């Protein structure tokens, strides 16, 4: 795998390189770590939220993941990017949490944003392809989350990372510690399963 | 296959709905502050807990122990296998004791001191007679290094040792 490009956040207050922030955070600079948290909080939270379908759980696990990452920063060798390493911690924490929660799903779904109804793909999907045309977006959201929770954790993780978050196969393989072939096969199987669960909403 | 791909396309579009699920407004404004204050609180309260230290140093062990938390059947099976292993090791230990006793009894000088056949069998012919002063020489590493007599017992080589006395000189 090629060396990841240096990540600079144009919106960050300092615009510092990720590597410099990591070095400073390793020396105990909490301001630098605060910036790293701000950089990745949305993506980490979103991944955990899509895995758990519960806002409160996602909040707790995301915070725990960032704290664990800070405590383990000294063991971060820099073999992968900080972002991938952080993701791996979050993914492991989430999977451990889900194993302990096992079959005790309780939804605490976030609201859909205002742009949902303006998304042409979703509008087309509902108006053209869905047999139940009167189905509301909120109901569709609930059914989708229910279907996702029926998948095993590794299959759900692959779908969330690839189809929801747009990560590449390479990145997912690195985050999940498996090879690309496994990622592809899990993705195919998970999509087939989802297709079966959501058959009445997908023509 | 193309039909499947088409269906996957529909599924992918449906999954985009997930991208529109957003946390309450302003949620991320305080998120990093909460993380940092929890880190500070942890630093103030002192070192990491034992579990956290273990997780940092040996994550594989923590993952192994977590299997027991989530699957009670596994810990039962693990405990049973440990018990079986313990019983088997006790049985085998007793058996090996018995077999070693049998080996020692073959070379035990108290039972065969007068019988030169054992020494003759276990030691090379040339060395057996001349160099086995107190020690039987043999290619058998365990049985041969046993003293042919006890320290305080009667020895066939008693002439080699001087008798010691605590009586003052001249008496």
């Amino acid at each position: 795998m090629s060396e990841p490009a240096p990540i600079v956040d144009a919106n960050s207050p300092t615009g510092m390189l990720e590597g410099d922030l990591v070095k400073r955070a390793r020396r105990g600079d909490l301001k630098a770590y605060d910036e790293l948290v701000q950089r990745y909080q949305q993506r980490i939270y979103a991944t955990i939220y899509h895995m758990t379908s519960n806002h409160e759980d996602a909040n707790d696990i995301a915070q725990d993941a960032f704290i664990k990452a800070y405590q383990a920063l000294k063991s971060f060798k820099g073999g992968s990017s900080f972002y991938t390493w952080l993701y791996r911690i979050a993914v492991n924490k989430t999977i451990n949490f889900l194993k302990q929660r096992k079959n005790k799903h309780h939804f605490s779904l976030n609201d859909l944003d205002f742009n949902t109804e303006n998304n042409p793909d979703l509008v087309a999907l509902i108006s053209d392809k869905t047999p139940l045309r009167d189905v509301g977006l909120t109901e569709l959201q609930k059914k989708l989350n229910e279907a996702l929770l029926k998948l095993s954790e590794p299959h759900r993780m692959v779908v969330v990372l690839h189809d929801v978050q747009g990560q590449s196969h390479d990145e997912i393989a690195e985050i999940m510690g498996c090879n690309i072939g496994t990622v592809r096969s899990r993705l195919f199987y998970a999509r087939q399963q989802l297709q079966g669960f959501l058959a009445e909403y997908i023509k | 296959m193309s039909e499947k791909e088409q269906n996957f396309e529909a599924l992918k579009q449906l999954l985009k709905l997930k991208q529109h699920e957003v946390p309450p407004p302003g949620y991320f404004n305080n998120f990093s502050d909460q993380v940092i204050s929890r880190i500070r609180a942890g630093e103030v309260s002192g070192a990491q807990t034992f579990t956290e230290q273990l997780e940092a140093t040996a994550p594989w062990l923590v993952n192994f122990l977590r299997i027991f938390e989530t699957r009670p059947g596994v810990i039962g099976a693990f405990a049973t296998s440990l018990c079986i292993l313990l019983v088997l090791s006790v049985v085998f230990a007793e058996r090996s004791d018995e077999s070693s006793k049998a080996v020692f009894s073959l070379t035990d000088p108290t039972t065969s001191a007068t019988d030169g056949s054992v020494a003759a069998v276990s030691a090379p012919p040339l060395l057996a007679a001349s160099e086995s002063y107190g020690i039987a020489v043999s290619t058998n590493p365990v049985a041969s290094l046993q003293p042919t007599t006890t320290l305080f017992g009667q020895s066939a080589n008693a002439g080699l040792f001087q008798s010691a006395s605590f009586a003052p000189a001249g008496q």
Side-chain angles (χ1 to χ4, degrees):
Chain A
M1 190 174 290
S2 61
E3 190 68 23
I7 299 169
V8 184
D9 189 352
N11 297 323
S12 79
T14 58
M16 284 183 72
L17 288 172
E18 182 188 86
D20 294 336
L21 287 172
V22 171
K23 274 181 195 166
R24 282 175 51 194
R26 283 178 76 160
R27 290 195 295 263
D29 185 342
L30 281 174
K31 275 190 180 175
Y33 194 66
D34 183 63
E35 195 169 332
L36 285 169
V37 173
Q38 286 183 37
R39 222 172 250 202
Y40 300 120
Q41 59 188 7
Q42 294 193 23
R43 276 178 276 182
I44 294 290
Y45 166 85
T47 303
I48 301 169
Y49 168 76
H50 294 314
M51 283 295 290
T52 58
S53 296
N54 188 299
H55 168 70
E56 287 79 20
D57 291 341
N59 177 49
D60 292 344
I61 300 168
Q63 285 194 14
D64 288 348
F66 278 110
I67 291 167
K68 166 83 190 291
Y70 180 77
Q71 288 166 344
L73 256 183
K74 283 179 183 164
S75 68
F76 173 57
K77 303 280 190 294
S80 60
S81 69
F82 173 76
Y83 164 69
T84 307
W85 180 75
L86 177 64
Y87 242 103
R88 210 176 296 152
I89 291 173
V91 163
N92 287 335
K93 276 215 167 280
T94 309
I95 288 177
N96 285 334
F97 170 82
L98 290 170
K99 277 180 186 166
Q100 286 173 346
R101 190 177 79 170
K102 207 88 183 174
N103 300 326
K104 291 176 193 166
H105 303 307
H106 49 287
F107 285 124
S108 171
L109 297 178
N110 289 329
D111 293 333
L112 295 168
D113 64 23
F114 295 116
N115 296 324
T116 314
E117 290 180 9
N118 299 327
N119 185 318
D121 292 334
L122 287 172
V123 170
L125 186 73
I126 292 166
S127 60
D128 299 337
K129 294 194 175 178
T130 308
L132 305 173
R133 292 184 185 189
D134 56 346
V135 68
L137 277 174
T138 311
E139 190 190 336
L140 199 57
Q141 178 198 8
K142 197 179 168 208
K143 295 288 177 194
L144 183 55
N145 278 286
E146 281 173 355
L148 277 169
L149 286 179
K150 286 180 189 169
L151 297 176
S152 72
E153 288 91 9
H155 289 97
R156 199 186 318 156
M157 186 60 80
V158 172
V159 170
V160 165
L161 290 175
H162 189 271
D163 288 344
V164 180
Q165 300 229 276
Q167 306 255 28
S168 69
H169 291 123
D170 285 352
E171 285 172 324
I172 297 170
E174 202 176 343
I175 288 166
M176 296 190 72
C178 58
N179 59 44
I180 296 175
T182 307
V183 172
R184 285 183 202 276
S185 65
R186 280 181 184 168
L187 188 59
F188 184 77
Y189 179 79
R191 282 172 175 170
Q192 272 190 328
Q193 293 274 302
L194 280 177
Q195 207 161 261
F197 298 146
L198 297 164
E200 58 182 323
Y201 300 97
I202 305 168
K203 195 175 179 182
Chain B
M1 184 67 190
S2 63
E3 191 183 348
K4 271 186 181 175
E5 286 295 327
Q6 203 174 357
N7 283 342
F8 282 160
E9 281 305 315
L11 178 68
K12 281 189 225 172
Q13 285 179 4
L14 185 59
L15 282 166
K16 281 182 184 169
L17 186 63
K18 291 286 290 170
Q19 294 172 351
H20 293 279
E21 293 180 24
V22 289
Y27 167 71
F28 288 115
N29 294 350
N30 299 322
F31 184 87
S32 66
D33 291 340
Q34 287 173 2
V35 171
I36 298 299
S37 58
R38 277 184 65 186
I39 289 172
R40 282 210 174 101
E43 283 177 348
V44 169
S45 68
Q48 297 169 304
T49 62
F50 175 72
T51 316
E52 285 168 344
Q53 282 178 348
L54 195 65
E55 208 167 337
T57 53
W60 58 271
L61 182 61
V62 177
N63 288 337
F64 178 68
L65 293 174
R66 277 198 182 123
I67 295 172
F68 294 147
E69 280 179 24
T70 53
R71 295 175 192 165
V74 176
I75 193 166
F78 185 68
T80 309
S81 59
L82 273 185
C83 288
I84 291 170
L85 197 65
L86 184 69
V87 169
L88 285 177
S89 60
V90 168
V91 168
F92 279 112
E94 282 179 356
R95 278 192 187 174
S96 65
D97 279 351
E98 283 169 12
S99 60
S100 63
K101 274 179 192 169
V103 171
F104 290 142
S105 68
L106 281 175
T107 56
D108 191 352
T110 57
T111 57
S112 59
T114 55
D115 185 5
S117 61
V118 173
V121 167
S122 62
L126 289 175
L127 294 174
S130 60
E131 295 181 13
S132 59
Y133 299 129
I135 301 286
V137 179
S138 165
T139 52
N140 183 334
V142 175
S144 66
L145 291 176
Q146 303 304 314
T148 53
T149 60
T150 62
L151 277 177
F152 303 105
Q154 292 298 318
S155 169
N157 302 312
L160 293 172
F161 302 105
Q162 283 188 326
S163 56
S165 169
F166 292 103
Q171 284 188 355

